[in-house]
Amino acid sequence: MKNIKLTIMYDGSRFLGWQRLGSEHGEKSIQDILEQNISKLLGEAIKIIGSGRTDTGVHAFAQIANFHTRSTMGLEDIFRTLNHSLPEGISITDIEEVQKEFHSRYDAKSKTYEYHIDTREVANVFTRKYALHEPFSYDINAMKEASRYLIGEHDFQAFASRMNDDRTTIRIIESIDIDKEEDEIRISIKGNGFLYHMVRIMVGTLILVGKGKMKPEDIKRILESRNRKNAGPTVSSVGLFLKRVEY
Amino acid sequence: MKNIKLTIMYDGSRFLGWQRLGSEHGEKSIQDILEQNISKLLGEAIKIIGSGRTDTGVHAFAQIANFHTRSTMGLEDIFRTLNHSLPEGISITDIEEVQKEFHSRYDAKSKTYEYHIDTREVANVFTRKYALHEPFSYDINAMKEASRYLIGEHDFQAFASRMNDDRTTIRIIESIDIDKEEDEIRISIKGNGFLYHMVRIMVGTLILVGKGKMKPEDIKRILESRNRKNAGPTVSSVGLFLKRVEY
């Protein structure tokens, strides 16, 4: 029995999110598409384990997943054949055999998400599906200052969309980088785990700070309140990328 | 009579190139779409003059065009209404009134084109329509060295796809910048004018140098030969962007 780890890039605008939807569902998730293609290729029913779900519309530069197989097909063959059979918008960018205990979700040490904001007055036609179009002359320094309050170990309940299955709402944010290049702001957030919609609410809150509608130091108060209503809006998935998963 | 200058951004993968195709033609060019939308908006038959044509598939960050009108509609109104009526993939990014003598094509002093090459083993799903996928570990320094032979005033007949209407095949290339960031090479070429397919043949030739199939100093010989057969292939329009037009 081999355990195979895949690195997957996908254009979230073309699919119904990561999570398995099941065969009774008409349309397909990215996990469904991968399982069907791999099962067909290897001639056995394959279940793949992702590092975590991504919602509809969320993109991935490097999602990680693994699956177990009895197949003796070589990795290079799987890599090439699978990439040929996958639809436009999903690519396997790396494949490797890993220890049989490796688990994409349980073993993930940290994840990095990146959010793109198009600040042009008229939307950039090339990033329409890959950036939130929200024109404004943002105060980047205020956004950076605000982001510092989010770094570290905190109870992020105010930054989660709903009560969820997580036993705790405490997470560690390792770093937040905010860069502006020409007319695009990129916010990169690395943490040991994320609550439901957490990145999108953090970005929605940083946008309010960048627009002067909230002060950097308000973040402290929002965290302490542990009340979702005090944070900013949940921004669209259009600008969100899963950039890296570390083990 | 006002003379109005437009800056236009378009995703070339969605349209049949810049050049007017005429009403008997089923599909539409970008020029056709702009003329129809502006004519309808201003209530008079508008002809627009572009800085030059771009072939099918070629993108533009900032194409320039101008048109004359008797309309008294304000520029802000034209800008906003036009952007609402244009199809996804074409945007007006700037509008201004210019002197009545201004001519987008005749007055252009220089143009800058940029070409994107995706060097990843498996194509980046986000740049499939915006970069040539040509995986290789390119020798960037050799490409830069080769590009220096192209800079200056030369007879570029060897870098033109066919005999054309141009009175002369002499052009001045002001600069060529080659940058590699992560898995994408960007080649930016600025010149006082370009022959048919000239940028795409220059890039095709630089790719051969980057792959070690041609030496940097071969460029000198190719230029002197004035024979198209000696230069590299005409690469696809997929990675080509009209980046800037200077007046």
Side-chain angles (χ1 to χ4, degrees):
Chain A
M1 201 72 161
K2 280 190 225 168
N3 189 5
I4 293 176
K5 179 185 171 207
L6 301 174
T7 306
I8 308 146
M9 181 186 251
Y10 50 80
D11 178 343
S13 68
R14 292 165 166 257
F15 309 100
L16 285 180
W18 171 263
Q19 183 82 343
R20 187 184 297 122
L21 296 168
S23 55
E24 73 286 354
H25 202 282
E27 292 191 85
K28 289 174 188 170
S29 71
I30 296 154
Q31 189 178 25
D32 287 329
I33 293 168
L34 286 167
E35 287 182 343
Q36 283 165 23
N37 278 273
I38 299 170
S39 298
K40 195 175 166 199
L41 176 64
L42 302 181
E44 58 179 328
I46 295 292
K47 292 286 169 204
I48 69 172
I49 301 158
S51 75
R53 67 184 72 176
T54 56
D55 286 338
T56 302
V58 178
H59 314 286
F61 284 126
Q63 166 71 292
I64 301 294
N66 69 295
F67 65 91
H68 296 89
T69 178
R70 298 186 186 283
S71 167
T72 56
M73 189 181 284
L75 289 187
E76 254 310 312
D77 278 351
I78 297 176
F79 181 72
R80 218 176 1 216
T81 319
L82 197 50
N83 270 321
H84 267 106
S85 73
L86 287 171
E88 217 179 270
I90 306 180
S91 287
I92 308 299
T93 61
D94 200 19
I95 188 168
E96 57 175 320
E97 192 176 341
V98 286
Q99 291 181 302
K100 67 175 191 295
E101 300 80 15
F102 175 84
H103 190 286
S104 296
R105 188 162 74 254
Y106 302 150
D107 293 348
K109 292 266 186 301
S110 70
K111 282 185 187 171
T112 305
Y113 284 94
E114 195 169 272
Y115 199 90
H116 295 186
I117 304 165
D118 174 11
T119 69
R120 301 176 70 106
E121 184 182 358
V122 178
N124 183 331
V125 299
F126 303 108
T127 61
R128 223 178 265 263
K129 291 172 181 165
Y130 311 118
L132 176 73
H133 180 230
E134 188 74 20
F136 197 85
S137 177
Y138 292 87
D139 183 342
I140 303 291
N141 286 330
M143 293 170 78
K144 287 184 179 176
E145 199 186 326
S147 73
R148 280 181 219 118
Y149 290 98
L150 295 166
I151 295 170
E153 182 172 302
H154 300 286
D155 184 336
F156 285 98
Q157 200 174 319
F159 292 87
S161 256
R162 57 167 191 209
M163 292 305 285
N164 50 32
D165 298 341
D166 295 299
R167 285 157 305 176
T168 167
T169 47
I170 293 171
R171 294 289 185 279
I172 297 168
I173 294 298
E174 294 176 41
S175 63
I176 302 181
D177 294 310
I178 304 176
D179 292 304
K180 185 166 196 292
E181 209 173 305
E182 289 177 24
D183 298 307
E184 189 166 279
I185 295 175
R186 297 187 173 197
I187 302 175
S188 178
I189 305 179
K190 182 179 180 181
N192 73 337
F194 293 89
L195 303 168
Y196 193 59
H197 283 173
M198 183 168 150
V199 176
R200 289 161 61 182
I201 299 170
M202 286 168 87
V203 170
T205 310
L206 291 172
I207 283 176
L208 290 184
V209 173
K211 287 181 170 180
K213 292 180 181 169
M214 206 179 252
K215 286 181 183 140
E217 54 270 30
D218 291 338
I219 303 292
K220 196 167 180 288
R221 195 182 40 77
I222 298 169
L223 278 168
E224 285 165 359
S225 77
R226 298 198 289 141
N227 185 342
R228 167 71 189 91
K229 287 180 183 155
N230 293 323
T234 306
V235 291
S236 162
S237 61
V238 71
L240 185 59
F241 294 76
L242 172 57
K243 203 179 175 190
R244 211 177 298 119
V245 186
E246 267 134 341
Y247 291 93
Chain B
M1 200 72 163
K2 280 192 224 168
N3 188 5
I4 293 175
K5 179 185 171 208
L6 300 173
T7 306
I8 307 146
M9 182 186 253
Y10 50 80
D11 178 343
S13 68
R14 293 164 165 258
F15 308 100
L16 286 179
W18 171 264
Q19 185 80 345
R20 186 184 296 124
L21 296 168
S23 55
E24 73 286 355
H25 202 281
E27 293 191 85
K28 288 174 188 170
S29 71
I30 296 154
Q31 189 178 25
D32 287 329
I33 294 168
L34 285 168
E35 286 182 344
Q36 284 165 21
N37 278 274
I38 299 171
S39 297
K40 196 175 164 198
L41 176 63
L42 302 182
E44 57 177 329
I46 296 292
K47 291 287 167 203
I48 69 170
I49 301 158
S51 76
R53 66 184 74 178
T54 55
D55 286 338
T56 302
V58 177
H59 314 289
F61 285 126
Q63 167 71 294
I64 301 293
N66 70 294
F67 64 90
H68 296 89
T69 178
R70 297 185 188 283
S71 167
T72 56
M73 189 181 282
L75 288 188
E76 254 311 312
D77 279 349
I78 297 175
F79 181 71
R80 216 176 4 219
T81 319
L82 197 51
N83 270 321
H84 267 106
S85 73
L86 287 171
E88 218 178 88
I90 306 180
S91 287
I92 307 299
T93 61
D94 199 20
I95 188 168
E96 58 174 318
E97 191 175 341
V98 286
Q99 289 181 304
K100 68 175 192 294
E101 301 79 16
F102 175 83
H103 190 285
S104 295
R105 188 162 74 255
Y106 301 150
D107 292 348
K109 293 267 187 298
S110 72
K111 282 184 186 171
T112 304
Y113 283 94
E114 194 168 271
Y115 199 89
H116 296 186
I117 304 165
D118 175 10
T119 68
R120 301 177 70 106
E121 185 183 356
V122 179
N124 182 330
V125 300
F126 303 108
T127 60
R128 224 178 264 265
K129 290 172 182 167
Y130 312 119
L132 176 73
H133 181 230
E134 188 74 18
F136 196 85
S137 178
Y138 293 87
D139 182 342
I140 304 290
N141 286 330
M143 292 170 79
K144 287 184 179 177
E145 199 187 326
S147 73
R148 280 180 219 121
Y149 291 98
L150 294 166
I151 294 169
E153 181 171 303
H154 299 287
D155 184 335
F156 284 97
Q157 200 174 321
F159 292 87
S161 253
R162 57 168 192 209
M163 292 306 286
N164 49 32
D165 298 342
D166 296 299
R167 284 157 305 176
T168 167
T169 48
I170 293 172
R171 293 289 184 278
I172 298 169
I173 294 296
E174 294 175 42
S175 64
I176 302 180
D177 294 310
I178 304 175
D179 291 305
K180 184 166 195 292
E181 208 173 307
E182 290 177 25
D183 297 307
E184 189 165 279
I185 296 174
R186 297 188 172 197
I187 302 174
S188 177
I189 305 179
K190 181 177 179 182
N192 72 338
F194 292 89
L195 302 169
Y196 194 58
H197 284 172
M198 183 168 150
V199 176
R200 290 160 61 181
I201 298 169
M202 286 167 89
V203 170
T205 309
L206 291 172
I207 283 176
L208 290 184
V209 173
K211 288 182 168 178
K213 292 181 181 169
M214 207 179 251
K215 286 182 181 140
E217 54 270 29
D218 290 340
I219 302 293
K220 196 167 180 286
R221 195 182 39 77
I222 297 168
L223 278 168
E224 284 165 359
S225 77
R226 298 198 288 142
N227 185 342
R228 167 71 189 91
K229 287 179 185 157
N230 293 323
T234 307
V235 290
S236 161
S237 60
V238 71
L240 186 57
F241 294 76
L242 172 57
K243 203 178 175 190
R244 211 177 297 120
V245 186
E246 267 134 341
Y247 292 92

